[in-house]
Amino acid sequence: MKKIVLLSLAALCQVAPAGAQQPAATMNQGQMSALDSNKDGAVERSEYESFMTAAFANLDKNKDGSLSPDETKQALNAQQFAATDANSDGKVTQKEFLDRVMADFKTADRSGDGALK
């Protein structure tokens, strides 16, 4: 599930809002290119965190500093939303969001070198 969250959010946020609920095993080249801001062929932790911070702001349509299930419905199913909502208050704060996606990044970084290739 963690990898699904990571990749669903990456796919959702790289372009205009579009459905991205299908699970993916790896990021496709278009997703990698969009996230690889220094164009070195890898998505480093700092690039991913920066991208996801901007993605949170983009997803937060009402700019209240948290995400509702409605704001994330294009990327997360109810189970994924609940897993991201660490304190189970029905909303996902930026900290909860970044904690989840960065944990997902760490899981996806199989080599442990701080980059996805």
Side-chain angles (χ1 to χ4, degrees), residues 12-105:
L12 173 74
C13 299
Q14 94 173 26
V15 188
Q21 292 180 317
Q22 69 275 7
T26 59
M27 276 195 251
N28 67 40
Q29 189 57 46
Q31 292 164 331
M32 289 286 292
S33 294
L35 295 168
D36 181 15
S37 61
N38 67 3
K39 304 303 179 201
D40 67 352
V43 177
E44 286 126 15
R45 180 178 173 79
S46 62
E47 290 173 316
Y48 194 76
E49 187 168 10
S50 178
F51 180 85
M52 284 302 182
T53 298
F56 179 91
N58 183 49
L59 290 169
D60 185 12
K61 298 297 184 199
N62 64 4
K63 304 304 178 200
D64 67 351
S66 63
L67 303 176
S68 67
D70 189 54
E71 289 171 313
T72 61
K73 69 183 175 188
Q74 294 290 326
L76 304 177
N77 64 35
Q79 182 182 12
Q80 292 167 331
F81 184 90
T84 306
D85 180 14
N87 65 358
S88 302
D89 66 354
K91 60 186 177 183
V92 173
T93 64
Q94 185 176 28
K95 181 180 180 339
E96 288 171 324
F97 179 82
L98 290 174
D99 285 351
R100 168 60 66 192
V101 298
M102 296 316 294
D104 296 344
F105 181 94

Side-chain angles (χ1 to χ4, degrees), residues 1-8 24-26 80 104 107-108 110:
M1 178 182 66
K2 289 181 182 181
K3 186 173 271 193
I4 294 169
V5 172
L6 172 85
L7 297 173
S8 293
T26 59
Q80 292 167 331
D104 296 344
T107 299
R110 293 184 188 136

